[in-house]
Amino acid sequence: MTDSPLPAAAVETPLGWAGVAVSPAGIRRATLFHRTRDACLGELRAFGAAEARPAERPPLLDAALERLADYAAGDPAALGSFPVDLPPDLPAASRRVLLALRNIPPGEVRSYGWLAEAAGLGRGNARAAGAIIGANPVPLWLPCHRVVAADGSLHGFAGGLAMKRRLLELEGALPAPLLP
């Protein structure tokens, strides 16, 4: 028996096109901001999602799109505690690291060492935590952009450092102070 594709959709925002694919339990896959709708939906299709027509969208999908638009329009708290449904085959350590991202409030940043420690990997595993968030399936919702180097400098982000800076500016988190 084949699983049907996850329903997905995209929304145009002041930062570009962003999209999500949802399961009944929450957001399973999300994109960062793209220049075109096709690029956004193409990324979601690459992970087994299919665009849902507006009349066929589950309410959770429309709610997620509305929150994305609010976030990009300048409401850093809009994504809040929206339900996220990480892939079931995700290793336990990866799950802990990704979920620890939710402990970083909008307008604040934390170091990779802090993230590793918060996820139970130990502060010395900052690089491992960084590698895990580099494959974050639901960026923005699990805010990997809020993780910076211990000295406050910006490192690594799938959307590029310019986008990371833009998101942190939107949230009022720059300039970043020195972090433990």
Side-chain angles (χ1 to χ4, degrees):
M1 178 175 179
T2 320
D3 290 331
S4 59
L6 295 172
V11 63
E12 188 173 20
T13 76
L15 298 177
W17 285 90
V20 295
V22 299
S23 74
I27 297 171
R28 176 69 62 89
R29 181 65 65 174
T31 71
L32 291 168
F33 299 99
H34 291 275
R35 289 184 186 187
T36 68
R37 181 177 180 277
D38 287 342
C40 181
L41 291 171
E43 182 181 332
L44 293 170
R45 278 192 298 274
F47 289 100
E51 184 177 11
R53 287 182 258 165
E56 298 169 347
R57 291 181 189 162
L60 185 68
L61 183 54
D62 283 329
L65 294 174
E66 185 177 321
R67 296 254 190 123
L68 265 174
D70 290 346
Y71 174 83
D75 180 0
L79 303 181
S81 60
F82 205 84
V84 168
D85 182 25
L86 292 172
D89 60 345
L90 196 65
S94 295
R95 185 174 298 278
R96 288 193 316 269
V97 167
L98 291 170
L99 293 176
L101 292 167
R102 285 221 155 154
N103 296 323
I104 309 171
E108 296 184 23
V109 294
R110 299 289 187 273
S111 69
Y112 290 96
W114 175 92
L115 180 61
E117 190 169 14
L121 302 180
R123 188 171 281 274
N125 286 308
R127 286 182 189 259
I132 290 167
I133 66 172
N136 182 356
V138 286
L140 302 175
W141 306 92
L142 298 178
C144 52
H145 61 280
R146 296 180 190 149
V147 181
V148 299
D151 66 0
S153 61
L154 303 185
H155 289 275
F157 188 62
L161 294 182
M163 178 57 69
K164 185 171 189 167
R165 174 172 293 284
R166 191 166 183 194
L167 295 173
L168 292 173
E169 287 171 347
L170 179 140
E171 296 183 4
L174 287 181
L178 293 177
L179 299 171

